[in-house]
Amino acid sequence: MKVLDKMYKKLIVSCQALEDEPLHDSYIMSKMALAAKLGGASGIRANTVKDIQAIKQEVDLPLIGIIKKDYPDSAVYITPTLEEVDELYQEGVDIIAFDATIQARPGGQSFQDFFFEVKAKYPNQLFMADTSTLEEAIAAEKAGVDIVATTMAGYTPYSEGTVPLEVLKEVVENVKVPVIAEGNIDTPEKAKKALEIGAHAVVVGSAITRPKLITEKFAKAVHALSVEESYTK
Ligand SMILES: CC(=O)N[C@H](C=O)[C@@H](O)[C@H](O)[C@H](O)COP(=O)(O)O
């Protein structure tokens, strides 16, 4: 079965922890992936070759690979250049994802120029475009990507405050390639809604694999109550 068929209407779990996050460790990410698989995930999204290698030891699910890297002259950090694409291709992942916003890439390169190079070098690889607006999704489809995703909705200065599921709906209505819902899908209800809207699959990250953020949500709710009701004996 082809990878896009395996993912159809399924849950993909993003297992990522950056250097400044408490779970930053490839072994931990591999166990997160295993937990996700046992819980019913049908795919994994992972960052860095090291994490991807560790995850491959634990699970045999379809993999979406990215490399997050900061460059001083660009706001684009998800697989920004051909160099990161080369690394992911050499490691081997089912889908390579990258930022496909209108923001300039390192060296001032546009998404179109970047993708032209990428596609020419790797014509048989599946590529997923992380976009923040309908316009970017349409442009990415036109450039020839295989999948568009709403990953960056709310994370570019010009998309701040947009509602991911609303962006998803617009994108689904206007592009023909499969659309993956990703970004701030933080409840099972929203994941289900994303698929009902027409997403091909849904990626959930923080709500499953970032316990610090999950704890913060609980702590905030609990502490708000403890401020209202002080303890007196
Ligand atoms: C904007 C950005 O850098 N997103 C990253 C993309 O890989 C990840 O940090 C997210 O966790 C992932 O997209 C899943 O989203 P959420 O964690 O909201 O379920």
Side-chain angles (χ1 to χ4, degrees):
M1 204 197 288
K2 288 199 178 127
V3 68
L4 274 167
D5 296 333
K6 286 186 194 162
M7 288 179 169
Y8 186 61
K9 298 292 175 194
K10 297 279 171 42
L11 172 69
I12 298 161
V13 174
S14 169
C15 301
Q16 301 183 39
L18 297 179
E19 272 171 42
D20 60 352
E21 294 185 75
L23 298 193
H24 178 69
D25 185 306
S26 297
Y27 174 77
I28 295 175
M29 285 305 107
S30 74
K31 293 298 177 186
M32 279 285 184
L34 178 59
K37 182 187 167 175
L38 296 176
S42 298
I44 301 291
R45 174 161 163 137
N47 171 37
T48 75
V49 167
K50 214 168 152 228
D51 283 8
I52 289 165
Q53 285 171 342
I55 288 168
K56 280 181 179 174
Q57 300 294 312
E58 286 289 350
V59 302
D60 54 359
L61 293 175
L63 275 175
I64 301 173
I66 61 167
I67 294 180
K68 284 183 175 170
K69 189 166 173 185
D70 289 320
Y71 284 81
D73 62 340
S74 171
V76 172
Y77 58 88
I78 300 180
T79 323
T81 74
L82 184 60
E83 209 174 291
E84 290 83 44
V85 176
D86 287 340
E87 281 184 50
L88 290 165
Y89 185 85
Q90 274 150 30
E91 174 52 34
V93 285
D94 298 279
I95 297 166
I96 294 178
F98 40 64
D99 180 306
T101 68
I102 54 169
Q103 301 177 109
R105 309 182 95 80
Q109 193 182 38
S110 69
F111 166 69
Q112 277 72 14
D113 289 349
F114 159 80
F115 189 64
F116 186 79
E117 274 181 31
V118 164
K119 187 74 185 164
K121 194 163 179 186
Y122 303 116
N124 300 319
Q125 172 71 47
L126 286 179
F127 293 109
M128 167 168 161
D130 291 332
T131 63
S132 72
T133 63
L134 170 62
E135 292 70 27
E136 288 169 351
I138 291 172
E141 178 179 51
K142 201 169 161 216
V145 302
D146 303 282
I147 303 156
V148 298
T150 53
T151 317
M152 299 305 292
Y155 294 100
T156 52
Y158 46 90
S159 71
E160 244 172 62
T162 52
V163 180
L165 287 180
E166 285 174 13
V167 178
L168 174 74
K169 187 165 187 291
E170 285 183 334
V171 175
V172 162
E173 284 167 359
N174 288 282
V175 307
K176 288 188 191 68
V177 293
V179 179
I180 290 188
E182 172 168 350
N184 290 302
I185 310 283
D186 56 3
T187 63
E189 292 71 30
K190 283 189 201 168
K192 186 167 171 264
K193 184 83 191 152
L195 297 182
E196 283 165 2
I197 287 171
H200 184 92
V202 58
V203 176
V204 177
S206 310
I208 297 176
T209 59
R210 285 197 167 102
K212 177 174 162 269
L213 290 182
I214 301 164
T215 307
E216 276 168 6
K217 281 193 188 174
F218 279 90
K220 208 173 147 201
V222 168
H223 295 160
L225 191 69
S226 65
V227 169
E228 280 166 30
E229 293 180 24
S230 57
Y231 177 65
T232 45
K233 208 171 180 185

